[in-house]
Amino acid sequence: MAQQGAHAGMDRLLRLRQTAFHDYHDQAFRLWAAMFLTGLAITVWAVAWLVRNPQLVPMAVAAMCLSALAAHFPIRLPRATISVSLADLAVHGSLALLGPPAACLAAVGDSVIASWKCSTRISSRLISPAIAAIAIAVAAGAFHLVTALGAAAGIRPETTLMAALPAAARANYLVSGGLFSFFLAIKR
């Protein structure tokens, strides 16, 4: 019985691969799956953090709702396959005020809405939030590195914050743009 269930699951996965990923060669599909699972793991971690910190739930949900609302008005970049929105203000604001897990959820909320508005492919609609989660996790690392270095150097916290936010924003844009570009290059 268990073996039949496993075969049925594999059949469904093969059908999904043939329909949604028909133009992905093996290497591109494996990269897509690795990025998707990494982003999913980061998002699950963020939700678990939120469950453990119920006092932050209202603010984190508000940041996610603001970023999702802003994502309804994406700005398509000329000659590019990506778009931006004012949701980045909610994402980076939640990073500074609430921490990386709240920023992750805000970034994922933004990306879910934006990808559903800008793409009809399920592969794009799933990978965009995953890449957003990966990028904001790296950006959070940059943010915490700059704040830790500032604190160790005895720099005032507000000054350090003013340096950490642009560092996080740059890291976020570089990682998300880099992952999308790398993936498109591998796919072709």
Side-chain angles (χ1 to χ4, degrees):
M1 256 336 188
Q3 196 173 22
Q4 285 179 333
H7 286 299
M10 286 301 291
D11 289 343
R12 283 192 293 270
L13 185 60
L14 282 173
R15 278 196 305 274
L16 175 68
R17 169 99 194 265
Q18 291 167 349
T19 56
F21 301 93
H22 59 87
D23 57 339
Y24 287 51
H25 53 79
D26 287 342
Q27 185 180 12
F29 181 73
R30 282 193 299 273
L31 177 62
W32 183 95
M35 288 193 305
F36 174 74
L37 292 173
T38 302
L40 181 63
I42 292 167
T43 305
V44 167
W45 165 79
V47 170
W49 169 86
L50 197 59
V51 168
R52 288 190 311 274
N53 295 283
Q55 72 279 11
L56 297 177
V57 169
M59 290 184 288
V61 169
M64 192 167 100
C65 289
L66 281 173
S67 68
L69 178 66
H72 278 284
F73 308 100
I75 302 163
R76 279 204 178 265
L77 299 178
R79 299 174 302 282
T81 58
I82 61 172
S83 59
V84 296
S85 74
L86 292 176
D88 296 330
L89 295 173
V91 171
H92 293 102
S94 62
L95 175 62
L97 298 173
L98 303 173
C104 174
L105 295 175
V108 167
D110 164 34
S111 189
V112 165
I113 300 297
S115 63
W116 278 80
K117 287 184 70 73
C118 296
S119 177
T120 58
R121 293 197 59 176
I122 192 68
S123 56
S124 296
R125 290 176 172 182
L126 291 174
I127 200 64
S128 293
I131 288 177
I134 294 167
I136 200 65
V138 172
F143 180 83
H144 284 295
L145 176 65
V146 172
T147 55
L149 290 174
I155 300 172
R156 295 175 51 180
E158 55 273 5
T159 304
T160 303
L161 180 65
M162 294 307 289
L165 278 172
R170 284 186 189 96
N172 189 21
Y173 293 127
L174 287 173
V175 171
S176 62
L179 284 176
F180 275 115
S181 297
F182 178 68
F183 178 71
L184 290 174
I186 293 293
K187 187 179 166 199
R188 292 185 183 135

